[in-house]
Amino acid sequence: MLRAGFNGLYQLFYWLGGPKQHRVTFATMRSPELTDNLKVLHAKFVQDSDMDLKVFCYHYDRTLKSKIGFLLASVQALRLLARSEMFIIDDYFFPLYAINKHPNNQVVQLWHAIGSLKHFGLSLPTADDSVIKPHTNYDWVFINSEVDKPAYVAAFDIQPDHVLATGEPMMDTLMAQHPEPHAGAKRLLYSPTYRPDANGEAQVLHYIHELITASEQLKQPWEIYVSLHPYLSLPEWQLPKNVHIFQDATRVKQLMPTIDVFVTDYSSLSLNFSYFERPILLFTPDYEQYMAKNGFYVDYYHYLGAPHFDEAGALISFIAHDLDQLDLSYVHELKQKTFPHQDGHNAQRVFQFLMKQL
């Protein structure tokens, strides 16, 4: 029913006008504004082209209010898609998968994360459960490294020659940064991965609470920053003054050069952070469960080479007593694997290719 309705609306919008010449739309349903790849590439189009640029942003956070608004937002998105020569997205985009797309509405996927660590898209064990097959109708996919291509081909059901390893535009911003020394307390950034199952949100919040509680063991002053996935709800907790929980992809990128140690479970932000050659630690209390439910493209612990812990207390104890002696060769190796393009021209390569398609 939903497929028929969405497809009918798309076809109606298409036949009422069709794609407008030189119209390029940047669209996301993961945040209320353009971030990361979309933000950088949009700025490039503004600077170096005279395209008719449109922006569509909707923050779908899975609350009831968001679900109701999602239907209206989807109608708006389908209208923009039908009227655009090129439609550029950065994440799962449900309305797109419910339609029979016309070839002259080109769709570009600029996935919001780099690398190929954990399974995503059609590689997920639950992908076949979807009534409407996700991650379809992509014409072009841009990735960070050639070694990631098999994962993206599998995740997005797309021909290999339409997956282009140009380097991701948002990496240009990262490479313009340098590790920044700072006075005062040391800084820890914790970025837990989103878990989509029914108990996923409670599970993530439990791990955050464990880490915050364990951090009270630290005798030296530390500022603890927790980056919460955009699909989760911010908890209403009474936090210690040195603990900061937020949902802001831009703030994460701004903080990274100042962070002394990065902690995650399965987030690809570990790859981003390797650029600064500072310690990366893994807090993975549900590793076996996550591997069974989600899975990885790589031998996860071996690929990252980072110390890993299944208890928050052990993690914090390591930070307190052993962090200063940690050999960072594993971080240096990870950086070399992750960043084959370090010239700061990723956005330019993507922009030039897309302009040739218009």
Side-chain angles (χ1 to χ4, degrees), residues 20-25 49-54:
K20 187 175 179 181
Q21 188 176 23
H22 294 162
R23 174 168 291 178
V24 178
T25 296
S49 81
D50 57 357
M51 297 293 105
D52 175 16
L53 303 179
K54 299 293 181 182

Side-chain angles (χ1 to χ4, degrees), residues 2 6 58 66-76:
L2 196 58
F6 277 4
Y58 182 74
S66 176
K67 289 178 180 178
I68 295 171
F70 170 78
L71 293 175
L72 297 175
S74 294
V75 173
Q76 183 184 359

Side-chain angles (χ1 to χ4, degrees), residues 31-46:
S31 62
E33 60 186 14
L34 297 183
T35 61
D36 296 335
N37 282 323
L38 294 188
K39 181 178 181 179
V40 174
L41 188 61
H42 180 266
K44 189 68 177 174
F45 268 84
V46 169

Side-chain angles (χ1 to χ4, degrees), residues 9 21 32 44 66 84 133 180 185 216 262 278 302 343:
L9 285 170
Q21 188 176 23
K44 189 68 177 174
S66 176
S84 299
K133 183 179 179 180
E180 297 177 12
E216 295 174 4
F262 178 74
R278 287 177 172 173
H302 181 264
D343 58 4

